[in-house]
Amino acid sequence: MGRGDEHAPAAEDRHRSAVLGFELHLAALRDPALRALTQQWTGSGRAVLARFTGPETAARLDALLEGLIMHALLSTDAVPREETRAAITQTLGPETAPGT
């Protein structure tokens, strides 16, 4: 393996998981019976975030992360980490931002 290749399987798994998550959400748009599952999925993720940020910030951060991930999946260009970090820091606010 070349330099950085050791992370390729994990990156592929994260990509596949993200794609499946969005496919589930899209399926729930068409099939209301799936909406309870997507609400549970979203609620579980927000509960983890809320342990560190509180429920209101967790909801905002979850929405931001979903948007950032969707844009990253659809983009042909990589988004600079600095831009992603700045968006997260702005959403978290000064008291809960990473490194504070």
Side-chain angles (χ1 to χ4, degrees), residues 30-50:
R30 295 179 187 90
D31 183 355
L34 293 173
R35 291 184 186 161
L37 179 60
T38 59
Q39 284 181 311
Q40 182 180 14
W41 174 301
T42 298
S44 295
R46 286 183 182 180
V48 171
L49 293 171

Side-chain angles (χ1 to χ4, degrees), residues 16-94:
R16 185 174 188 276
S17 178
V19 169
L20 290 173
F22 284 114
E23 286 179 354
L24 172 62
H25 282 83
L26 289 173
L29 287 173
R30 295 179 187 90
D31 183 355
L34 293 173
R35 291 184 186 161
L37 179 60
T38 59
Q39 284 181 311
Q40 182 180 14
W41 174 301
T42 298
S44 295
R46 286 183 182 180
V48 171
L49 293 171
R51 292 190 334 221
F52 302 96
T53 66
E56 292 178 8
T57 301
R60 287 192 305 271
L61 184 58
D62 178 57
L64 172 69
L65 292 173
E66 286 192 10
L68 290 171
I69 292 166
M70 183 184 303
H71 283 259
L73 290 171
L74 295 172
S75 180
T76 57
D77 298 320
V79 177
R81 287 181 186 258
E82 298 79 25
E83 287 182 24
T84 301
R85 182 170 284 132
I88 292 169
T89 299
Q90 185 176 23
T91 299
L92 289 175

